[in-house]
């Protein structure tokens, strides 16, 4: 009997990273894929991105509504509660041998909590990382402690997971899973991307994604306003603006970016979701990537494109030299954009070294899933004093 592997996705971002792993599980004779789709995937406000999953040829076993139309921390917490109620029913029905979760989202924490109570073994991807400016940091570490097997993106992060009491034999450095797209995906030309977006890209352009900062004292709407004002200082560049995630504070940013695009005389495209292929294609040809998404730190350097990391949301992550960290103020962002445009041109001549692996993570994780023990019981690993 094939081992039943339930893969959870709650956002466009984690689905994009998980795409090749889902494909590899589906193609494996030793594994049986069960796909659980939830969170913003099922929200018209965020683009109904579950449709892209189906368009990619994957059968969704469970669609789970849990996201309240709220912009507050209380609303996010209530969404987690709704998620746990429905996730328990879905997992009891599917009875997977292993649940795969990625990253540090509140939706992922909710299903990891549920799986723990139901005695389902969890494999966690991208543990051990640090993002001091968001509650995602605590969520990520909590999922690590709920999980039995871990696949990290660097050796530094592997050692941190071990430091948290996880057994070294169960912690695997596989690299960043999102880099698999570089080796395995057919990306678009600028012309094909323009056609797909129905937005003619005739000038150098920026890809911009800014998410609310849920822990650091960084007012999201004020910072985003400074970012939009900074982009106005570069009229020779077009802008592709993607919507923020569903964290508390995100909906206010949506109205800002919609108004900015409407007043841009066709220079700015505001879009709920590009999808992974269009997003990476856009990154590949961009003059710079701007915002505070983890993608700007992990995946973008692999394309030898400069990225600007605004504020503290990603504070603490390992980063390539092409990542430009800047304060969340108008003047600082303008200076960073000027530097990024120059840096991207230089990277075409002298590529950057990315610390996040070689783009073979999905194959490695598939092999781990095939051979791993599915016993949910685990013990705390003590590091010897002085080690």
């Amino acid at each position: 009997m094939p081992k039943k592997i339930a893969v959870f996705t709650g956002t466009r971002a984690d689905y994009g990273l998980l795409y090749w792993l889902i494909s590899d599980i589906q193609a494996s004779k030793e594994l049986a894929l069960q796909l659980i789709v939830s969170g913003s995937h099922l929200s018209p406000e965020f683009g109904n991105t579950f449709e892209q999953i189906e368009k990619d040829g994957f059968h969704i076993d469970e669609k789970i509504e849990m996201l309240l139309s709220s912009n507050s921390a209380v609303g996010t917490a209530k969404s987690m509660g709704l998620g746990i109620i429905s996730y328990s029913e879905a997992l009891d029905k599917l009875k997977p041998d292993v649940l795969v979760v990625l990253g540090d989202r509140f939706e992922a924490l909710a299903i990891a909590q549920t799986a723990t109570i139901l005695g389902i073994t969890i494999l966690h991807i991208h543990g051990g990382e640090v993002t001091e400016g968001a509650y995602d940091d605590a969520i990520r570490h909590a999922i690590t402690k709920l999980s039995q097997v871990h696949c990290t993106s660097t050796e530094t992060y592997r050692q941190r997971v071990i430091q948290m009491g996880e057994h070294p034999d169960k912690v695997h450095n596989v690299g960043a899973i999102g880099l698999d797209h570089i080796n395995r995906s057919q990306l678009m030309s600028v012309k094909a991307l323009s056609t797909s977006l129905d937005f003619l890209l005739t000038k150098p352009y920026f890809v911009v994604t800014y998410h609310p900062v849920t822990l650091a004292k960084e007012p999201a709407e004020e910072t985003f306003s400074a970012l939009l004002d900074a982009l106005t200082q570069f009229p020779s560049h077009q802008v592709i603006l993607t919507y923020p995630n569903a964290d508390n504070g995100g909906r206010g940013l949506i109205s800002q970016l919609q108004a900015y695009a409407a007043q841009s005389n066709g220079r700015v495209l505001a879009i709920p979701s590009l999808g992974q292929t269009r997003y990476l294609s856009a990154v590949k040809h961009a003059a710079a990537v701007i915002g505070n998404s983890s993608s700007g730190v992990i995946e973008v350097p692999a394309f030898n494109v400069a990225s600007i990391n605004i504020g503290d949301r990603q504070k603490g992550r390992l980063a390539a030299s092409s990542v430009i960290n800047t304060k969340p103020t108008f003047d600082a962002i303008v200076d960073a954009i000027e530097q990024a445009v120059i840096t991207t041109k230089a990277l075409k001549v002298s590529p950057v070294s990315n610390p996040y692996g070689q783009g073979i993570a999905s194959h490695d994780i598939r092999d781990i899933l095939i051979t791993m023990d599915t016993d949910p019981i685990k013990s705390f690993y003590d590091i010897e004093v002085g080690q």
Side-chain angles (χ1 to χ4, degrees), residues 137 184 192 334 362:
D137 194 58
R184 301 177 67 176
V334 169
S362 296

Side-chain angles (χ1 to χ4, degrees), residues 11 66-67 70-80 103-110 129-143 211-217 245-251 292 312-315 317:
T11 72
M66 52 83 74
L67 192 63
S70 169
N71 203 37
S72 69
V74 171
T76 300
K78 286 184 175 181
S79 293
M80 292 178 66
D104 47 28
R105 295 284 305 164
F106 65 85
E107 305 94 336
L109 175 59
E129 302 180 13
V130 173
T131 51
E132 296 176 6
Y135 53 46
D136 299 5
D137 194 58
I139 288 174
R140 184 186 313 106
H141 300 325
I143 296 174
H211 299 299
V213 181
T214 54
L215 200 58
K217 294 180 180 179
N245 60 29
D247 284 339
N248 42 289
R251 287 171 175 82
N292 62 359
D312 290 338
R313 187 170 186 267
Q314 300 299 332
K315 185 178 179 181
R317 277 197 199 273

